[in-house]
Every structure is written in structure tokens, then in C-alpha cells.
Amino acid sequence: MLNTDSIKRNFPILTRVINGKKLVYLDNAATSQKPFSVVEAISSYYLNNNANVHRGVHTLSDESTTIFENSKNKIAKFFGAKNHELIFVRNTTEAINGVAYGWGEKNIDAGDVILVSILDHHSNIVVWQELCKRKKANLIFIGITDDGKLDLDDFDSKLKKFFGKIKLVAFPHVSNALGSTIDLKVITKKVRATEKAEGNKISGVVSNRSSNGTTSVYSIKILIDGAQSAPHMKINFDDLDIDFFTFSGHKMLGPMGVGGLLVREELLKTDQMQPWLFGGGMISEVHESHTNFHDDLSERFIAGTPDVASVAGLAAACKYLENLGMENVLQHDKELVAYALDELSKNKDIEIVGPKANSKNNTRIGSVSFIYKGVHAHDVAQVLDSEGIAVRSGHHCTMPLHTSQNWVATTRVSFQVYNSKEDIDTLVEGLKKVKKVFK
Amino acid sequence: MSNIYHEDLLDEAKNPSNYGEMDNPDLVSTQYNASCGDVITVSVKLSDDKKTIEDIKWKGQGCVISQASMSVLSEKIKGLEIIKLQKLTQKEILEELGLSEISVGRVKCLLLGLGAVKKLV
């Protein structure tokens, strides 16, 4: 376990008293709290260095540009990506929209298939629903197993069934509602093996993703929504055989308003992925009749003044996590999840949903969701708030998942580096009050 | 700022080498600086075996830094094998200009000509 006593001291908000009780913040999958160093990076930028980037010769503009570039380097490296593979966006939702507009508009045609999972967050569903509507394409869902994991058999059969039409597979790395984790290697292997086998059958052309990056017409793009994985585990984008990875800064100790879209270099170099916002900053030359975009592969995606302060804040968050060590961060989370599962299972009024992991076998990451029998999740959350405990209740932006499982609403507790087993003990105590109030 | 605008550099920009137009060039390229609209166009003639830059002319408009750096660069690449163009670095240009460093805001000015040269091939 991480030393949460010392970590908590870096997060001033955790000293707040809510309803007479010391705050226990267990709503981290919605947004995490921010350490001093992140807030300081932002305020220091505005108090000392603020000026627009890239367009000035004066000292402040130089400083601002340097802060922006260094921060970008830091963040790209944190995700194991090349500098020009990182496109700044506001959050995961905007990143996915960016893929729909920058790649989907040009590459999705009538009759094409986009595969998503029933585990997906609305941001990875609605965006594709809308694109499919515009293009007369089809959105197909992969289901889950009884214990809330992605149904790999269903995935296999749909990969085969719709092969030749599938242009995109869009999955969440970690489910925000259930904590179910997808093994990316398993997914990419299945996709690439199918491309090879089925592609051969159709045309005799082997799908080729060689180092020079050529892909056949049957190549399937893979988008991974990393909003819930990036806060807890090391991502090495360039080692993954995926095309897009999305994340939100605010869920990984960084500020709201900045996130990232990682795009595989080849898609940028070959213009398969194109800018979807236009204007200043993203150009190299503008004429009355036409414009050439910026030579730098990711600069051409930054239209207008970027949020330099938030980028600096996100870089500080990456540094904070790096100092803890992402392996330790992941281990810490796994122990909290296992402890929460063990402790909550002791309460007979609670039905835990999602993977039935325990301390010995745990593939859940980040959160534990449950149904309190006979009490609506909002009422559970309200009672817990009266004890200073912050949790989330509802469908967690996964309405199709909740509908498919006949869950009205669930209560979710989710963790970050500052959470301790004592926080979970407080939660377990708080849940006893639910029984007192409603039974 | 103190020592950027030393006399040699100002002279170089005022009286640039190889400035002008070329009839029937073998290769031409143009590079813009997106931040300010400065532009440099480079034209070259190649040797008979097409491997070496035999002559170069360039035209452009821009700040002292971009014009002086293109001027020294044009001297440097005259007679150079074209396969060596891609290996030219920012450091080499700084040295040619007698500068030890340049602020980030001016790097694009410094490298404008080099961008045009690298785009030749």
C-alpha cells in the first residue's frame, strides 16, 4: 500500500469537514482531487509566465511556449507516446468526438460496422451512434458475461460475422461502472488474427501492418477509452497495437478542461486522421483560396490558443504519479478494490455488481459498484453524504449497461492514491446508517 | 537579446549571399513561417550526375535572423551532396551565424531557410 497519510497531506481539500464529518472522497472515477503541485503549476503559470504561445518574440511568450512544449513532452512520455502522437483536447468525450470527425467522417461509409461494448460509457456510444446515423452505418454491441466482463466469445463471433464491414472497434480499457478491465493484448490479437484469416478468404490480400505502416482495406481501427485506466496503470501507447487512446486529465489528478487523444503516427502521416477544428495556430500558410496545415503532425490539431495552464497542471499530475510509481499506484488500487469487495460482501443487504473478484483474484480496477437491496442508490448516496462520504449513484453514464442488466441505479465507490483501507471502513460504517434510516 | 544582433549578422542580412532569382532551376521549394508569414524560396541547380548542389539562389522576406541564417546556409550548401541536406542541424546554423543560442520564440525564424532547403528533396 502507498503511504496515504503523507499523500493525503498533498491534497488540501481532503481536510474539509462535510456535515460535521471529515471528508472521505470515494468518487474518483467521476473526478479526482488535485495535489498542491498541480494547483501550483497552474497558478504559477498565470502569476508569472502568462502570454500567448508560439506567436511572440518577447520573454513571457518564450517562457509560455517553453512551459507548453516541456509539459507536452512530459505528458506524451508518461503515456509512452511520441510527442506528435499527442493531441490536446478538453477530455475523453472530446477526444472520441475528434476521432469521429477527424477520422470517421472520411472513413466510415454506408453499411459499415462499428463495434462497441455494452460496458462503454455514453461518450463511446453516442458519438458513434450519431456518426452511424449520418453515414447510414451500423453500431453493433458486444455483450458481457454473467460476472460483468467483456464477452470474448461474443466478440469473436461478431468479428467474424461482420468482417469486411467492421471499420472500428471502440472499447473501454476499464469500465467506469463495473471496474471490468480489458486485456488489450487479447483484443488486438483477436482483431489482427481475424484481419489476417478473414482478409485472406475475401481477397487473398493479407492485412499488412508492417513497420512502414501500410494497411489493407480490411484493416480495423481500434480505439481504447482510457479514461478509467490512465489514472491507475502505466500506459505504453507505442507498445500497444491500437490506433487511438483517449484520456481525461481531471481523472488522473490533473485539472479539468484538458485531456488527450493519442493517435498512431501512421494515421497522422497518411492524413487518415485529419484536423477537425480549423483556424489560427494550426496552419503553415493561408491564402485566399486555400490553406496548408501545420507541418507538425499534432500542432495542426491545435486550433486557437491552447489551455497552457491546464497542460502545465496535467504535466505536474503526471510527475506526481510518476514519483509514486505507476506500479505502486496500480497495486494500491488493487488492494483497495479487493478490500472493499471483501468488506462490502459481509453486508447481507448489499449486492455487488460486476466481476466477483476478491483479494486473491482481482482484475477489477478503480471502483466497486453495488445495489443496496430495497433502497435507491440516490438515497444511499444521500445518507452517506450525511456522514461526509462522497460516492456516486445512478447509471454512471452507462445507461445501456444498466438497462441490459435490469439495474435501476447502482452506487459506486471509486478510489485514488490518497484513499486508505480506513476510508473503506468508514464507508462500511456509513452503510449501517442506511439500514437505520430505511429499515 | 544583448548579443543576438552583432555586426556580422546584421551585415549578412543586409548583404545576403546568393540572393536572387535563377533561370531553369532543377529544384525549387518554399517555406512559410506560420507564426509571422515570413517566407523563403530556394532554387538550386544540380551537377550533371544530379548528386551535388552546383548553384543556389534564394529570395525571401522576413526578419534579420531568418534572412541572415538563409544567407550563411546558402554558402554552406553550395557544392554539398544533396543526400547531406537532411543532416544539417540548428547547431550548425547557429555556429555559422556566430551565435551560441537562440530563444524558443526565434527558433522558427532561424530554421525557416533550413526548412525550405530540406524540402528540396
Side-chain angles (χ1 to χ4, degrees):
Chain A
M1 298 288 288
L2 295 167
N3 181 350
T4 50
D5 283 345
S6 80
I7 291 174
K8 275 180 200 281
R9 282 197 287 273
N10 299 143
F11 292 80
I13 202 170
L14 297 177
T15 61
R16 274 204 58 181
V17 172
I18 307 281
N19 294 320
K21 302 283 167 63
K22 198 171 163 196
L23 169 66
V24 172
Y25 188 78
L26 294 171
D27 192 18
N28 294 286
T31 197
S32 68
Q33 299 302 344
K34 328 299 173 198
F36 259 128
S37 59
V38 168
V39 179
E40 230 168 50
I42 296 165
S43 64
S44 166
Y45 171 77
Y46 278 127
L47 295 175
N48 301 304
N49 317 103
N50 177 59
N52 213 332
V53 288
H54 292 156
R55 297 168 191 89
V57 165
H58 60 82
T59 300
L60 287 184
S61 181
D62 259 9
E63 288 175 6
S64 184
T65 302
T66 304
I67 288 170
F68 184 70
E69 295 298 335
N70 289 349
S71 300
K72 188 178 174 190
N73 275 326
K74 173 99 204 152
I75 297 161
K77 217 170 151 196
F78 182 82
F79 282 95
K82 297 178 191 74
N83 202 27
H84 57 247
E85 290 177 322
L86 170 61
I87 296 168
F88 285 123
V89 288
R90 281 187 304 144
N91 46 41
T92 301
T93 300
E94 189 170 286
I96 297 170
N97 273 280
V99 177
Y101 286 106
W103 172 83
E105 281 295 333
K106 217 182 136 193
N107 291 285
I108 299 289
D109 298 313
D112 283 348
V113 166
I114 294 175
L115 287 184
V116 294
S117 87
I118 198 77
L119 284 170
D120 271 296
H121 186 281
H122 292 164
S123 61
N124 212 14
I125 293 174
V126 184
V127 174
W128 305 121
Q129 245 171 15
E130 290 297 311
L131 181 69
C132 286
K133 235 197 278 176
R134 293 198 292 276
K135 299 288 181 178
K136 296 190 169 47
N138 301 303
L139 188 65
I140 307 283
F141 284 80
I142 308 298
I144 52 171
T145 58
D146 289 344
D147 65 344
K149 292 178 187 164
L150 186 77
D151 186 341
L152 293 173
D153 293 336
D154 191 28
F155 183 44
D156 278 336
S157 77
K158 281 172 180 157
L159 261 181
K160 249 187 174 172
K161 184 174 172 191
F162 297 106
F163 186 80
K165 291 187 160 58
I166 305 170
K167 290 286 174 68
L168 177 73
V169 171
F171 287 160
H173 196 179
V174 170
S175 155
N176 77 306
L178 301 182
S180 328
T181 306
I182 285 174
D183 186 337
L184 296 185
K185 282 205 177 109
V186 170
I187 299 302
T188 54
K189 259 190 194 162
K190 281 181 186 298
V191 171
R192 302 313 172 208
T194 310
E195 279 175 339
K196 208 170 172 183
E198 300 295 318
N200 263 333
K201 275 187 216 164
I202 294 177
S203 67
V205 179
V206 178
S207 170
N208 177 9
R209 294 171 69 89
S210 61
S211 54
N212 71 7
T214 49
T215 49
S216 86
V217 286
Y218 296 115
S219 93
I220 297 169
K221 301 289 178 284
I222 301 175
L223 179 148
I224 297 299
D225 164 6
Q228 300 297 339
S229 62
H232 302 294
M233 61 168 86
K234 172 70 187 159
I235 303 295
N236 273 315
F237 180 68
D238 282 343
D239 290 345
L240 302 169
D241 186 13
I242 63 173
D243 300 282
F244 306 103
F245 185 91
T246 62
F247 63 92
S248 293
H250 71 94
K251 292 188 199 287
M252 47 181 287
L253 312 183
M256 288 181 175
V258 67
L261 166 60
L262 301 173
V263 182
R264 195 156 57 86
E265 186 180 33
E266 179 221 334
L267 299 186
L268 298 168
K269 279 189 170 166
T270 54
D271 279 342
Q272 290 179 70
M273 176 74 188
Q274 295 197 346
W276 68 93
L277 292 171
F278 307 93
M282 51 80 69
I283 54 98
S284 80
E285 47 190 284
V286 178
H287 307 276
E288 284 191 23
S289 60
H290 71 283
T291 291
N292 291 348
F293 300 150
H294 204 295
D295 293 333
D296 184 275
L297 294 174
S298 61
E299 286 290 322
R300 65 176 65 162
F301 289 88
I302 302 178
T305 299
D307 187 345
V308 183
S310 292
V311 168
L314 179 54
C318 292
K319 193 173 171 197
Y320 188 92
L321 287 168
E322 243 168 35
N323 286 344
L324 293 175
M326 286 313 282
E327 277 173 26
N328 301 328
V329 168
L330 179 61
Q331 185 55 30
H332 181 75
D333 178 73
K334 286 196 162 194
E335 286 182 39
L336 287 176
V337 167
Y339 186 71
L341 286 168
D342 288 348
E343 291 304 304
L344 290 170
S345 314
K346 292 175 186 166
N347 187 330
K348 297 284 174 282
D349 294 315
I350 284 175
E351 179 200 340
I352 291 170
V353 296
K356 300 282 181 287
N358 56 40
S359 40
K360 292 193 183 73
N361 173 26
N362 177 19
T363 57
R364 279 179 88 126
I365 286 177
S367 69
V368 174
S369 294
F370 59 86
I371 293 164
Y372 197 105
K373 291 169 194 162
V375 185
H376 191 280
H378 289 335
D379 298 319
V380 173
Q382 190 74 59
V383 173
L384 289 175
D385 180 63
S386 72
E387 293 294 304
I389 304 162
V391 301
R392 188 134 298 240
S393 53
H395 54 52
H396 320 298
C397 288
T398 57
M399 226 176 124
L401 172 70
H402 277 66
T403 308
S404 74
Q405 304 297 310
N406 293 316
W407 301 329
V408 177
T410 55
T411 304
R412 180 185 69 192
V413 296
S414 53
F415 311 112
Q416 250 299 347
V417 293
Y418 37 73
N419 288 123
S420 60
K421 287 184 177 172
E422 288 72 36
D423 291 341
I424 294 166
D425 292 338
T426 310
L427 168 75
V428 168
E429 278 306 303
L431 284 166
K432 288 181 182 160
K433 190 172 173 189
V434 175
K435 185 154 190 162
K436 264 189 221 156
V437 173
F438 293 103
K439 296 273 165 89
Chain B
M1 147 69 204
S2 51
N3 55 3
I4 282 190
Y5 296 114
H6 62 74
E7 215 163 291
D8 290 349
L9 188 136
L10 294 174
D11 273 354
E12 192 76 50
K14 232 182 252 174
N15 306 299
S17 310
N18 305 306
Y19 194 87
E21 310 239 3
M22 178 184 279
D23 292 332
N24 304 316
D26 291 319
L27 301 168
V28 181
S29 84
T30 296
Q31 181 79 358
Y32 285 85
N33 182 343
S35 313
C36 53
D38 287 359
V39 59
I40 283 177
T41 298
V42 178
S43 310
V44 297
K45 260 203 195 353
L46 299 177
S47 58
D48 292 342
D49 62 4
K50 304 288 177 201
K51 283 183 177 167
T52 307
I53 292 175
E54 217 165 62
D55 195 17
I56 173 167
K57 289 280 181 204
W58 66 276
K59 280 195 96 162
Q61 54 190 16
C63 62
V64 166
I65 301 286
S66 69
Q67 304 298 296
S69 62
M70 184 60 229
S71 175
V72 294
L73 183 62
S74 69
E75 280 299 303
K76 195 175 173 65
I77 67 170
K78 203 187 272 189
L80 196 72
E81 288 175 84
I82 55 173
I83 54 164
K84 290 186 176 157
L85 291 180
Q86 301 305 324
K87 291 187 179 152
L88 292 168
T89 64
Q90 173 176 333
K91 199 167 161 252
E92 287 173 274
I93 299 176
L94 278 174
E95 276 167 14
E96 294 284 344
L97 288 175
L99 297 173
S100 56
E101 57 177 2
I102 193 147
S103 64
V104 282
R106 302 307 296 276
V107 170
K108 282 180 182 171
C109 315
L110 183 83
L111 298 182
L112 183 62
L114 186 59
V117 164
K118 287 190 173 180
K119 264 166 62 177
L120 282 170
V121 281

